Amino acid sequence: VIVDLEGGGAYQTYQETFSLFGRGKVTAPNAFGRGLHFDFAGTVGNRYNAAEGSAKMPRWLAKRWLGLNLDVEMLAYVRAQATERFGDLSTFGASMIVSRSWQREASASRRARITSLSLRYDFRSRNRRDEATRPAGVDEDVDLVPVPTLTGSVGVGLRIDERADSAGNANPLSPSQGYLLDAQVALASRYLLGQDTFVHVGALGQKFWSPHPRVLIRAEGRFDQGLPLGDSVLFANGCFVGDSDH
């Protein structure tokens, strides 16, 4: 079991706000000696509070227990935060992901590469407060009303990771060369426990160069687009699908 503790603070001059937080995380990388991976994290602060957890089952164990020759991952979190755009925003999210990866070892002529295909289901419930215009009456002094947003989606993803060290070995945490390409397409629908129907397309690209041992150049680009289907779509804090953590 691994325990991590951290804390920090920040001051924003344009908002004149000061934020403090403390975070703890407990990780079990090989639970019960079977290759299961669990982690739980909690964050406490004056502007952000969260509880998060995940569980990962390796492919060989999923095949034995579930009959799936795929890696299986489940995620869940609860967050409460103070935002400039939406005020107090609370979010609950849960995801289930099945994926398959193929790894190419490094050689003298090419870098190591990890290619992954995934299928995932995401559910998000967000509650924010929005300004309201009311006629004269008992509620005329209430200028903020709660606005709940539910989104459920199913998506597929492709990830090609060639981030490597100077010798060409896979090193996504501290790369000195290579690239990362990540693309996702998801369909959100009322039939998936959401309240709107739309398609979300997203892509992320990273490129790394190291012209000198002490110099690292990184370029990154990202694209996200929501395409409504049928009736008008209410997006929660933009087109949320997947809540990328890159």
Side-chain angles (χ1 to χ4, degrees), residues 207-226:
K207 177 65 177 177
F208 298 86
W209 300 270
S210 184
H212 185 275
R214 296 182 180 273
V215 177
L216 177 64
I217 301 174
R218 169 177 168 171
E220 180 172 330
R222 180 167 182 166
F223 172 81
D224 281 288
Q225 181 67 51

Side-chain angles (χ1 to χ4, degrees), residues 23-240:
R23 186 173 189 268
K25 183 177 181 180
V26 178
T27 303
N30 186 25
F32 312 111
R34 294 182 174 271
L36 294 169
H37 181 106
F38 296 99
D39 65 62
F40 303 93
T43 303
V44 178
N46 63 326
R47 297 181 60 84
Y48 181 84
N49 295 276
E52 305 167 280
S54 69
K56 300 177 184 178
M57 183 184 300
R59 184 166 62 246
W60 63 270
L61 201 57
K63 184 176 182 180
R64 179 188 300 178
W65 289 357
L66 305 177
L68 297 173
N69 193 24
L70 300 167
D71 297 312
V72 179
E73 182 176 4
M74 291 175 286
L75 312 169
Y77 65 80
V78 178
R79 296 171 182 163
Q81 60 192 115
T83 66
E84 180 183 7
R85 181 179 178 186
F86 296 115
D88 293 333
L89 178 66
S90 61
T91 309
F92 167 77
S95 302
M96 183 171 181
I97 308 162
V98 292
S99 62
R100 181 66 186 269
S101 300
W102 297 267
Q103 184 167 351
R104 183 185 73 185
E105 299 295 334
S107 66
S109 59
R110 60 187 184 183
R111 294 184 294 262
R113 176 193 293 170
I114 301 174
T115 303
S116 303
L117 287 172
S118 63
L119 173 67
R120 63 185 295 155
Y121 170 77
D122 294 286
F123 174 79
R124 300 289 183 272
S125 173
R126 282 193 170 138
N127 288 280
R128 59 187 175 90
R129 301 182 69 82
D130 205 354
E131 295 183 358
T133 301
R134 296 182 179 275
V138 295
D139 294 330
E140 63 180 322
D141 293 332
V142 179
D143 56 355
L144 294 175
V145 295
V147 180
T149 304
L150 302 178
T151 312
S153 68
V154 170
V156 294
L158 171 65
R159 185 182 181 94
I160 302 175
D161 192 346
E162 274 200 26
R163 293 174 294 179
D165 58 21
S166 57
N169 298 311
N171 189 349
L173 297 180
S174 182
S176 59
Q177 60 172 315
Y179 64 88
L180 169 69
L181 295 175
D182 194 339
Q184 298 181 15
V185 178
L187 171 65
S189 171
R190 297 178 177 89
Y191 298 104
L192 297 171
L193 304 182
Q195 67 188 59
D196 291 298
T197 302
F198 59 91
V199 173
H200 171 258
V201 180
L204 171 74
Q206 296 177 345
K207 177 65 177 177
F208 298 86
W209 300 270
S210 184
H212 185 275
R214 296 182 180 273
V215 177
L216 177 64
I217 301 174
R218 169 177 168 171
E220 180 172 330
R222 180 167 182 166
F223 172 81
D224 281 288
Q225 181 67 51
L227 306 173
L229 302 176
D231 299 334
S232 60
V233 176
L234 174 65
F235 293 102
N237 194 13
C239 185
F240 89 95

Side-chain angles (χ1 to χ4, degrees), residues 8-20:
Y11 179 74
Q12 297 178 332
T13 55
Y14 71 96
Q15 288 184 301
E16 297 185 351
T17 58
F18 190 73
S19 302
L20 290 172

